[in-house]
Amino acid sequence: RGEVAPVHRMREKGIQIGLGIDNYFSDYFEVLRSCLASARIHAHDPEVFSAYDALAFGTIDAARVLGLDDEIGSIEKGKELIDIAVESGVDSIKLQLIHNEEVYLPGSYEYGPYNIEDVRETRKKSQLNKEQFQELNRYAIEKQIKLTAAPFGVQSLDVLMTIDPLYIKVASGDMNNFELISHYIKCNKKLIISTGMSSFNDVETLVNYLSKAEFDDYVLMHCIAIYPHKEVDSQLGYIRKLMDRFDCD
């Protein structure tokens, strides 16, 4: 007989909690949402668990339950992912370079449904320093594949440029961060620009900015900022609209 686990009581007793699914065909984020809703209903408290709690149950906490603590932030795990990418036949690999001080203000404050201290701690555990990033790049070179990253600030950009990347990935959230983009332009590298969460006017504003800076070595990438998104939501026709309006790749 199916029942909802008393997750809130389990956590009160210090029991480690990890969330798994029966098969890899499931939409994992939908599973997380369903589990979060069920746990709140069972506890008769809509605030007993946050969205961050649900995400942790399915990622970091699940790794701890399985005894994989040592693999959280492991550089060897990064190399394994490079091997998988090579085997799949991709042309290049894009990582993220994020330093907390570049994206989060110090102190305590509201951060949507998340606890900002937890967010910073999670980011810190998965953060690549310059030496680790360069080690991954050397491994990628051995495997004959190009490595690059989306840098979320000038400090991260400086780390990225130590490997002389083929291109710089511009994250969707930084598409209107013209101060940061000005630093990208100075690097004289191709920009691969994500347009998720942006309106057509936002894209046009960016293209005009690049044109005024006399920079034309960029690619606009149509993105659906839902992970994973449903095929019906792909909006592939938008690619043609971008190409026709801006005459770009």
Side-chain angles (χ1 to χ4, degrees):
R1 187 166 64 91
E3 295 183 0
V4 177
V7 181
H8 61 294
R9 295 199 186 100
M10 295 166 65
R11 188 164 71 168
E12 288 173 356
K13 294 182 180 297
I15 298 174
Q16 289 188 331
I17 301 168
L19 175 66
I21 57 177
D22 293 332
N23 63 74
Y24 60 85
F25 296 106
S26 300
D27 183 332
Y28 198 50
F29 286 95
E30 287 299 326
V31 172
L32 291 177
R33 292 189 188 99
S34 297
C35 290
L36 177 60
S38 298
R40 287 172 170 174
I41 292 171
H42 189 273
H44 303 288
D45 182 356
E47 298 182 355
V48 66
F49 293 114
S50 68
Y52 180 85
D53 290 326
L55 182 61
F57 291 157
T59 54
I60 295 175
D61 291 347
R64 292 194 182 101
V65 170
L66 296 172
L68 300 176
D69 301 57
D70 293 341
E71 296 197 25
I72 300 175
S74 168
I75 195 71
E76 296 307 316
K77 182 59 64 175
K79 293 177 180 178
E80 290 178 20
L81 292 174
I82 289 175
D83 290 337
I84 293 172
V86 171
E87 290 172 6
S88 70
V90 301
D91 297 316
S92 68
I93 299 170
K94 188 275 297 183
L95 306 179
Q96 288 186 343
L97 286 173
I98 304 175
H99 291 81
N100 277 353
E101 58 270 23
E102 294 176 325
V103 291
Y104 306 115
L105 293 171
S108 298
Y109 47 87
E110 289 188 8
Y111 193 74
Y114 308 106
N115 181 309
I116 186 60
E117 298 295 342
D118 290 339
V119 172
R120 283 194 289 250
E121 181 62 25
T122 300
R123 285 290 191 189
K124 184 177 180 181
K125 289 179 179 178
S126 60
Q127 178 177 308
L128 286 171
N129 60 39
K130 182 173 70 174
E131 290 72 24
Q132 290 172 322
F133 183 65
Q134 291 174 339
E135 182 178 346
L136 287 178
N137 182 60
R138 287 192 293 270
Y139 188 77
I141 291 173
E142 290 178 12
K143 297 295 180 176
Q144 298 183 329
I145 193 167
K146 298 291 185 179
L147 183 73
T148 189
F152 280 58
V154 176
Q155 183 180 352
S156 297
L157 177 61
D158 289 342
V159 173
L160 173 60
M161 293 309 296
T162 64
I163 69 166
D164 190 25
L166 181 65
Y167 63 89
I168 297 172
K169 172 66 168 54
V170 181
S172 295
D174 283 325
M175 206 191 75
N176 60 356
N177 187 347
F178 298 119
E179 180 179 356
L180 181 57
I181 290 174
S182 69
H183 288 280
Y184 293 161
I185 292 173
K186 292 175 184 177
C187 295
N188 198 31
K189 295 289 183 181
K190 180 184 287 291
L191 301 183
I192 306 295
I193 305 169
S194 290
T195 61
M197 301 180 289
S198 301
S199 68
F200 192 75
N201 287 338
D202 291 332
V203 178
E204 189 168 43
T205 299
L206 172 61
V207 170
N208 289 337
Y209 176 85
L210 295 173
S211 178
K212 289 179 180 179
E214 299 182 347
F215 185 85
D216 60 4
D217 192 11
Y218 64 89
V219 172
L220 295 177
M221 189 164 67
H222 170 50
C223 301
I224 301 297
I226 303 173
Y227 309 99
H229 73 274
K230 297 178 181 178
E231 186 176 349
V232 70
D233 296 324
S234 297
Q235 302 179 38
L236 296 181
Y238 190 66
I239 297 175
R240 175 54 60 185
K241 183 176 181 179
L242 290 173
M243 294 174 66
D244 291 344
R245 174 62 183 85
F246 301 115
D247 189 26
C248 64
D249 292 333

